[in-house]
Amino acid sequence: MTLLHETNEPKTILHRYGMAVTASVFTVAMTAALWPVLGDAPFILLVGGVVVSAWRGGLLAGMLCAALSILAVDYFLFEPRYEIFTTPTNLLQFIIFGLVAGLISWIEESRARSDRANREYREELEIILNGVTEGVNAQDASGKVVFANAAANAMTDEGLSAAFRSTEKPGAKLLDSGNVTLAFTAMPHHRVFSTGKPAELTFGLKPTESGQERWMKLRSTPVFDKQGKVRLAVNIFEDITDKRRIEKLRAETEERLRKVLDNLAAFVGVMTPDGVLIEANRLALESANLMLEDVIGKPFDQTYWWSYDPDVQAQLRDAIKRVAAGETVRYDVRVRLGEGRFITIDFILAPVLDGRGRVEYLIPSGIDVTARQQLTDQLAVQQRRLESILNSIPGVVYEGTGSRDASEQRMAFISQYAETLFGYPVEDWYTDNNFWQKVVHPDDWVPVTQRATETYLTGDSTPVPFRCVTKDGRILYAESYNGTITGLNGQPVGTCGIVLDVTERRRQEGEIKRLTTLVSYERQRLATIIANVPGIVYEAIGTPERGLQRLDYISSYAETLLGYPVDDWRGGDLWEHAIQPEDTEATLAQVRALFDGQAAPIQLRCQTADGRTVYLEAHSSLIRDERGSAVGATGVMMDITERRHSEDAMAHYAEELRRSNEELEQFAYVASHDLQEPLRMVTSYLQLIEQRYVETIDADGREFIGYAVDGATRMKTLINDLLAYSRIQRARDETEQLNVGETVEQALYNLQLTIEDSGGEVTVDEPLPELEANRIQLVQLFQNLIGNALKFRAPDRPPHVHIGAQREGRFWRFSVRDNGIGIESEYLERIFVIFQRLHARNEYPGTGIGLAICKKIVDKHGGEIHAESTPGEGTTFSFTLPVKRAPRRGK
Amino acid sequence: MEMIQILLVEDSPGDIRLTKEALKDSKVRNQLHIVQDGVEAMAFLRRTGDYVGVPRPDIILLDLNLPRKDGRAVLEEIKADDDLRRIPVVILTTSDDEHDILRSYDLHANCYITKPIDLKQFVTIVKTIENFWFQIVKLPPT
């Protein structure tokens, strides 16, 4: 260590006072020597001694020096010599000397004290500076090093000292960080002096000879004097050779690590514990087409990869919170790489701890597992599909693994149908290896397990029948089909199979057995019936289009009836045997009609073996194949010969009757018609005679002509009534829905004059019903009855006719009641007979046909008519008409 | 004034005479032609056989019940003949049968009259026919 100033060592007492004595002696000797010269100032020289003693030895030494020298001068030089005089002058001199010594020593003391403090400060500074690892020195403007601390001294060798020199020294080389040789003046202290500003430089020292290259970092700071000029340059420098090497090493390591990171097939990043991303590797960035600055410094959950779904972001934030607390979190998650482009990654978020176990960083990383995820998804889909297929099978599909012993097997799978079939939840099979024992009927358990073991060992897959008991206690018949599952080594590792519910099948089998018995019984019964039917039961195959029918079956009655042996018919042609050639076409036509869907029975005429003719009537049904096409016919043929004969006879009679009726009608019409001609001639010409020969005919002649004309006129009325009567029969059967009230009104209108002439009244029950009838006839019916009632009125009272109607079941009953003369009960039936008259013509004129016409009209409408009467009081005619007309019968 | 040509198809001599009597005092000049059955009526109308050159009648009085070809057939033939169908046909018959009436009108008879039994009425009817058909009605131009 180089000190700037020499320090005053503290003086011993001896040293201090010795020096005071010495100074006293020296000054007294000098005064003695110079005594003659001194004159009036004998003590002047003493002052110097006192000053030196006080300066060097302090106040006491000064005082001592003053006292000694004053006493010595007084004793040795002043007269009287060798005697001590103590004068007031001496005392004053002593006081003055003392004051001088005090002043001097005080000044010296203060200086010394300040000197000491300064020294202590510098010493402390040196100690501090020496404790600093950096080198510290100071140079003045000439480049001279005026101070250097311990580190500086230790570091300063030939090479370094060259750097601080103010002139270049050949052989020493300074390098900048790029290994380029530096100009000597580039050193910072030069710049500090030239610019007055601090300067800094990192530089290398190229060794002159063999030796290590050293790197220094130097910082130069100016120290200014009071004039503001740079007095010193303080250099602080350190040897950064090692640090630089480590830094380089670290940079290389970092570079290597970055390359590794960037080339990892994983997404890796670094973030702060509060979730801000500070690093992301290339794959993570490039996959999403991002730049580092897009993501760095952002909260991780706000970055592009995650910001597509708030839920995913929330999950991530939660993970960050947990990892920041020291956990490691791992889950599969989808991240966004582009618009609509996602991948699934196996995401791991792990904490990095510092030396004290605090979380320093979070490392998110992920591997693209999209393919794996897809595979997993696919597998899951396939698994689900397989399970739903198995679950939809109406049988219990199972897979047992582990032991060969069925009772020790573990259920690897059992289909949902187990629950449907047995009523237990499928979980029971999974939780209880022995659950089958609960389901299988106790009596069947041992054989079933034995068979299962056999299947396991031999692969025998014959179905095993057994009974099961369901949860609600029903017994099911089941059948299991089992197989063995072999492992990769070919050894059995389990069994699988399906348990089917065959209860219904067993029931059906029983039903079939029962039906078979029933059918055979029915068949027997049918055979018995057929054998006893008085008709030919047949079955024929074939259609008219495909040629004539082939008889498949014919009952034995055919032989009884027709005489041909049954065996001759079967398989042969029905018609060839018995149908007459002239009937073939007509018969075939009927068969075609049958196949066309007409239900009418077929009429056949057959020739028996002994030549008789027999009429048959075949009632048949078509035999259809499964598509509904007719392929044949079956039925029974009855012998209708007898019936046919009676029918023929009846048809004959009916025809005769019809002809007879027709002739009668024709007769009635023609006769009544043609009868009118001569009548008209008689009348007309009698009248012509009467008219033209009025003068030549006398009163008698005119009277006779009168009778003749009257007869002819009545004849005409008779004929007309007869015509009307016959016309009702011939009238076309036309009916309509009509209002009876209207027909009554029409009749009253037709009778208007008669009613007025009679002075009577006709009342009607309103409303009269509606029904279906022939309008003209109904008008005539009412007209005849009302007219009748008016005609047979009592002479003593005006006629009153009342028309009423009431419902009687399917009929309406109409009544025409009068207050006329009435009819004796014995005639009540006869009045409806044609031409029946009860009164003389001059009393009540008429032909006796009116009521016959009424009866005929009512009859024709399907009703009936009768009369009730109290003679002298009145008659009530009542007739019925059906509410709804019965369907018309054949003529 | 043109003479009205009437064709009477009637087989009963009594009725022919009565018709003649009734028309005798007619105010209208008329000529009555008489045929006694349907065949002759058609021959007259078509002017064949004995009837070449006869005039075309302005009106036909037709009985229904006639020998050989009855009045219904005659009516049908007339009304089916393009040349004859415009001649008015008055059915004059004893029948008042509903069937006959309907059938006649179905065959386009121009009117249907039942001969009355009384002489006065008959004369009245013939006069009415004369009055109506010859004086009131506008007949088709021949």
Side-chain angles (χ1 to χ4, degrees):
Chain A
M1 181 174 174
T2 307
L3 289 174
L4 292 174
H5 300 281
E6 281 180 29
T7 53
N8 290 328
E9 283 299 310
K11 296 163 184 92
T12 60
I13 293 167
L14 188 67
H15 188 193
R16 284 199 294 181
Y17 295 108
M19 198 180 57
V21 171
T22 308
S24 313
V25 171
F26 182 72
T27 53
V28 169
M30 285 294 282
T31 304
L34 294 176
W35 185 256
V37 183
L38 291 170
D40 290 338
F43 295 102
I44 194 76
L45 289 177
L46 296 185
V47 175
V50 172
V51 168
V52 168
S53 295
W55 179 50
R56 298 295 295 177
L59 177 65
L60 289 177
M63 295 290 274
L64 180 66
C65 181
L68 282 178
S69 48
I70 288 170
L71 286 173
V73 169
D74 190 39
Y75 182 75
F76 289 113
L77 296 178
F78 273 101
E79 299 291 337
R81 292 186 187 180
Y82 308 118
E83 108 181 48
I84 297 285
F85 270 101
T86 305
T87 64
T89 311
N90 282 3
L91 195 61
L92 186 67
Q93 284 174 329
F94 185 74
I95 290 168
I96 292 167
F97 273 56
L99 284 173
V100 169
L103 183 72
I104 294 299
S105 68
W106 179 77
I107 291 167
E108 176 57 22
E109 267 308 303
S110 331
R111 192 202 54 84
R113 208 165 40 244
S114 133
D115 229 35
R116 217 166 32 247
N118 215 352
R119 199 170 57 240
E120 276 168 11
Y121 169 71
R122 290 172 66 99
E123 278 167 4
E124 278 168 13
L125 192 66
E126 272 173 27
I127 288 165
I128 290 167
L129 284 176
N130 285 336
V132 171
T133 52
E134 281 99 343
V136 180
N137 66 9
Q139 286 178 288
D140 60 16
S142 67
K144 188 184 164 203
V145 173
V146 296
F147 171 76
N149 75 346
N153 289 330
M155 264 185 276
T156 307
D157 57 2
E158 197 178 347
L160 183 61
S161 59
F164 294 120
R165 290 168 67 100
S166 38
T167 52
E168 193 164 356
K169 184 187 179 189
K173 236 178 190 175
L174 302 179
L175 304 169
D176 72 2
S177 55
N179 274 359
V180 177
T181 308
L182 275 173
F184 187 73
T185 50
M187 290 311 285
H189 58 271
H190 286 281
R191 283 197 289 167
V192 164
F193 281 110
S194 59
T195 65
K197 283 180 181 154
E200 194 176 303
L201 184 70
T202 299
F203 60 96
L205 291 173
K206 187 113 173 152
T208 44
E209 53 257 17
S210 68
Q212 273 198 324
E213 189 181 280
R214 290 170 68 204
W215 283 87
M216 306 299 291
K217 187 177 174 189
L218 190 141
R219 204 164 68 240
S220 229
T221 314
V223 175
F224 299 97
D225 61 14
K226 279 171 187 160
Q227 283 75 41
K229 274 181 66 184
V230 179
R231 190 165 62 92
L232 290 171
V234 177
N235 298 315
I236 300 170
F237 52 94
E238 60 179 320
D239 187 338
I240 55 165
T241 313
D242 287 345
K243 209 156 135 189
R244 198 175 145 90
R245 199 173 62 242
I246 288 164
E247 242 167 40
K248 204 170 156 194
L249 215 59
R250 190 155 61 195
E252 278 166 11
T253 308
E254 232 168 56
E255 179 65 18
R256 211 161 43 238
L257 274 176
R258 169 138 287 282
K259 277 181 184 162
V260 168
L261 266 184
D262 284 348
N263 289 296
L264 272 181
F267 307 106
V268 184
V270 181
M271 59 176 152
T272 59
D274 56 356
V276 174
L277 193 69
I278 53 174
E279 183 67 85
N281 76 338
R282 196 170 63 196
L283 185 67
L285 295 168
E286 285 179 0
S287 299
N289 213 6
L290 294 171
M291 303 299 287
L292 200 56
E293 52 268 32
D294 294 336
V295 292
I296 295 303
K298 268 193 175 182
F300 192 38
D301 66 296
Q302 305 287 319
T303 55
Y304 184 77
W305 300 295
W306 306 92
S307 59
Y308 66 92
D309 182 348
D311 289 347
V312 172
Q313 289 175 296
Q315 184 186 25
L316 178 62
R317 280 196 297 275
D318 179 56
I320 289 170
K321 212 175 288 170
R322 283 164 55 199
V323 177
E327 269 184 79
T328 296
V329 173
R330 178 174 184 170
Y331 58 95
D332 282 5
V333 65
R334 271 160 36 107
V335 290
R336 178 166 64 171
L337 296 187
E339 223 34 63
R341 198 159 56 87
F342 295 90
I343 56 164
T344 303
I345 59 166
D346 177 2
F347 179 64
I348 301 174
L349 189 57
V352 174
L353 305 181
D354 66 8
R356 276 171 297 186
R358 283 190 309 216
V359 176
E360 195 172 14
Y361 299 114
L362 310 184
I363 306 292
S365 65
I367 299 166
D368 180 0
V369 292
T370 309
R372 193 186 76 189
Q373 185 64 39
Q374 281 169 351
L375 204 65
T376 313
D377 289 352
Q378 255 171 20
L379 272 176
V381 167
Q382 277 173 5
Q383 175 91 15
R384 275 202 301 279
R385 190 181 301 151
L386 187 66
E387 279 188 13
S388 43
I389 290 170
L390 292 177
N391 282 332
S392 64
I393 292 173
V396 180
V397 181
Y398 73 91
E399 184 193 336
T401 56
S403 171
R404 71 162 86 168
D405 188 345
S407 64
E408 287 173 15
Q409 278 185 0
R410 192 176 58 76
M411 274 296 125
F413 175 77
I414 185 155
S415 68
Q416 206 62 40
Y417 194 71
E419 191 168 333
T420 314
L421 193 60
F422 301 122
Y424 296 105
V426 289
E427 287 72 26
D428 289 354
W429 275 271
Y430 293 122
T431 50
D432 182 357
N433 286 350
N434 220 358
F435 195 72
W436 275 115
Q437 193 164 5
K438 197 165 177 182
V439 176
V440 175
H441 193 281
D443 295 351
D444 292 349
W445 176 247
V446 174
V448 163
T449 49
Q450 278 172 357
R451 285 297 304 277
T453 306
E454 275 168 37
T455 302
Y456 189 88
L457 294 177
T458 64
D460 172 23
S461 59
T462 326
V464 183
F466 60 98
R467 283 164 296 167
C468 296
V469 184
T470 65
K471 192 177 184 184
D472 53 12
R474 283 177 299 116
I475 289 184
L476 298 178
Y477 290 88
E479 227 170 63
S480 78
Y481 294 78
N482 304 307
T484 309
I485 300 172
T486 49
L488 293 174
N489 60 0
Q491 289 303 304
V493 294
T495 53
C496 63
I498 179 166
V499 177
L500 296 176
D501 176 11
V502 295
T503 313
E504 180 62 11
R505 197 183 75 199
R506 275 181 65 105
R507 198 190 61 74
Q508 283 172 351
E509 281 167 1
E511 183 73 358
I512 287 167
K513 205 174 280 176
R514 197 181 66 79
L515 285 176
T516 311
T517 316
L518 201 66
V519 164
S520 77
Y521 168 72
E522 285 294 325
R523 183 177 296 204
Q524 203 167 347
R525 200 163 67 154
L526 192 65
T528 313
I529 291 168
I530 287 172
N532 289 302
V533 165
I536 303 168
V537 176
Y538 80 98
E539 191 179 302
I541 298 302
T543 60
E545 289 76 23
R546 288 196 272 139
L548 294 175
Q549 293 191 321
R550 180 172 55 78
L551 270 180
D552 213 39
Y553 172 81
I554 190 156
S555 68
S556 57
Y557 192 74
E559 189 170 338
T560 315
L561 189 64
L562 300 173
Y564 304 104
V566 164
D567 291 342
D568 287 0
W569 294 81
R570 287 183 181 151
D573 179 36
L574 170 63
W575 320 120
E576 278 174 12
H577 283 85
I579 309 277
Q580 303 293 315
E582 66 265 29
D583 289 352
T584 308
E585 200 42 53
T587 310
L588 259 179
Q590 293 189 75
V591 173
R592 281 193 208 100
L594 171 68
F595 276 81
D596 286 346
Q598 288 177 22
I602 294 172
Q603 308 274 346
L604 301 170
R605 190 169 65 160
C606 293
Q607 201 75 31
T608 62
D610 55 9
R612 283 179 299 114
T613 296
V614 173
Y615 290 95
L616 297 178
E617 190 175 80
H619 296 264
S620 313
S621 313
L622 292 177
I623 302 170
R624 296 184 184 276
D625 63 11
E626 60 278 4
R627 282 168 310 181
S629 316
V631 292
T634 182
V636 58
M637 288 186 263
M638 308 299 292
D639 178 6
I640 55 157
T641 313
E642 288 291 313
R643 200 182 83 196
R644 185 65 187 261
H645 284 160
S646 10
E647 274 174 5
D648 282 353
M650 251 166 73
H652 179 68
Y653 295 141
E655 179 59 23
E656 267 186 10
L657 191 66
R658 191 186 60 78
R659 210 164 34 233
S660 154
N661 269 348
E662 220 166 64
E663 277 169 9
L664 200 65
E665 276 172 26
Q666 190 64 23
F667 172 75
Y669 173 71
V670 170
S672 55
H673 221 123
D674 293 348
L675 280 171
Q676 306 229 28
E677 277 303 309
L679 270 178
R680 277 184 54 250
M681 289 305 109
V682 171
T683 317
S684 299
Y685 283 96
L686 277 172
Q687 286 174 336
L688 198 58
I689 290 167
E690 194 181 28
Q691 199 177 332
R692 194 161 294 179
Y693 305 102
V694 67
E695 288 91 17
T696 50
I697 296 170
D698 61 4
D700 276 356
R702 276 198 292 277
E703 189 187 341
F704 300 158
I705 288 173
Y707 286 129
V709 171
D710 178 54
T713 308
R714 278 192 292 109
M715 183 73 174
K716 180 171 163 47
T717 312
L718 199 58
I719 289 166
N720 276 341
D721 285 355
L722 205 55
L723 214 54
Y725 182 77
S726 79
R727 207 174 280 157
I728 291 161
Q729 195 61 43
R730 289 191 302 115
R732 272 180 286 182
D733 211 4
E734 282 168 355
T735 62
E736 58 185 294
Q737 190 67 27
L738 51 80
N739 185 319
V740 178
E742 284 174 15
T743 62
V744 171
E745 263 172 43
Q746 181 64 46
L748 293 176
Y749 178 79
N750 294 346
L751 290 166
Q752 204 171 354
L753 277 175
T754 319
I755 296 168
E756 281 169 15
D757 287 348
S758 71
E761 62 164 344
V762 180
T763 54
V764 180
D765 265 354
E766 298 284 1
L768 290 174
E770 285 199 359
L771 46 73
E772 194 185 341
N774 182 303
R775 182 182 292 275
I776 294 167
Q777 292 179 2
L778 208 58
V779 171
Q780 184 159 22
L781 175 60
F782 279 108
Q783 193 173 324
N784 283 5
L785 289 176
I786 297 165
N788 233 33
L790 294 170
K791 187 162 81 178
F792 295 102
R793 61 177 179 266
D796 56 339
R797 55 185 181 260
H800 176 222
V801 184
H802 181 78
I803 297 157
Q806 72 186 81
R807 181 79 183 252
E808 280 183 7
R810 295 188 300 109
F811 292 89
W812 280 102
R813 176 173 292 282
F814 297 92
S815 59
V816 179
R817 194 179 65 227
D818 63 47
N819 58 348
I821 55 175
I823 303 165
E824 297 291 339
S825 61
E826 58 203 279
Y827 303 118
L828 279 177
E829 287 307 313
R830 287 168 56 191
I831 54 172
F832 296 107
V833 179
I834 194 165
F835 298 134
Q836 279 295 332
R837 295 174 48 82
L838 299 179
H839 304 277
R841 188 168 300 124
N842 51 6
E843 257 183 301
Y844 296 100
T847 54
I849 294 180
L851 286 176
I853 288 174
C854 290
K855 181 166 163 55
K856 202 151 192 180
I857 290 172
V858 173
D859 282 351
K860 217 165 173 235
H861 278 82
E864 54 186 39
I865 186 167
H866 73 273
E868 284 168 16
S869 181
T870 312
E873 286 182 13
T875 309
T876 302
F877 282 91
S878 69
F879 61 91
T880 56
L881 291 177
V883 170
K884 199 143 179 77
R885 199 162 154 75
R888 192 202 303 192
R889 275 181 236 137
K891 279 190 178 173
Chain B
M1 188 178 168
E2 186 101 3
M3 178 112 58
I4 297 285
Q5 304 293 333
I6 303 168
L7 176 62
L8 173 65
V9 188
E10 174 61 79
D11 65 327
S12 158
D15 275 332
I16 294 169
R17 182 59 199 269
L18 283 176
T19 311
K20 276 183 183 169
E21 288 292 326
L23 283 173
K24 206 157 60 185
D25 306 326
S26 173
K27 292 172 225 149
V28 181
R29 290 201 325 131
N30 65 71
Q31 190 175 3
L32 185 67
H33 306 272
I34 296 156
V35 289
Q36 295 198 312
D37 65 43
V39 175
E40 277 189 50
M42 290 317 296
F44 185 95
L45 286 169
R46 295 200 165 122
R47 298 168 190 167
T48 55
D50 296 342
Y51 301 100
V52 178
V54 296
R56 177 186 162 96
D58 294 305
I59 190 164
I60 300 165
L61 304 177
L62 179 64
D63 190 10
L64 284 183
N65 296 318
L66 294 169
R68 291 178 39 183
K69 181 182 276 186
D70 81 351
R72 298 167 191 86
V74 173
L75 176 64
E76 194 169 1
E77 251 179 78
I78 291 170
K79 291 300 178 187
D81 190 313
D82 287 345
D83 197 32
L84 304 173
R85 62 156 60 115
R86 285 188 191 142
I87 304 171
V89 177
V90 175
I91 303 295
L92 197 60
T93 178
T94 31
S95 169
D96 61 352
D97 188 85
E98 188 188 320
H99 278 269
D100 284 340
I101 297 168
L102 289 175
R103 175 133 176 85
S104 296
Y105 282 115
D106 284 348
L107 291 173
H108 309 292
N110 295 76
C111 73
Y112 187 104
I113 295 166
T114 305
K115 292 174 186 165
I117 198 158
D118 189 81
L119 177 69
K120 274 186 201 151
Q121 287 175 26
F122 185 79
V123 172
T124 310
I125 282 170
V126 174
K127 287 203 181 300
T128 308
I129 289 171
E130 183 199 309
N131 183 42
F132 181 74
W133 285 104
F134 303 162
Q135 296 188 315
I136 295 172
V137 168
K138 266 278 189 250
L139 290 174
T142 45

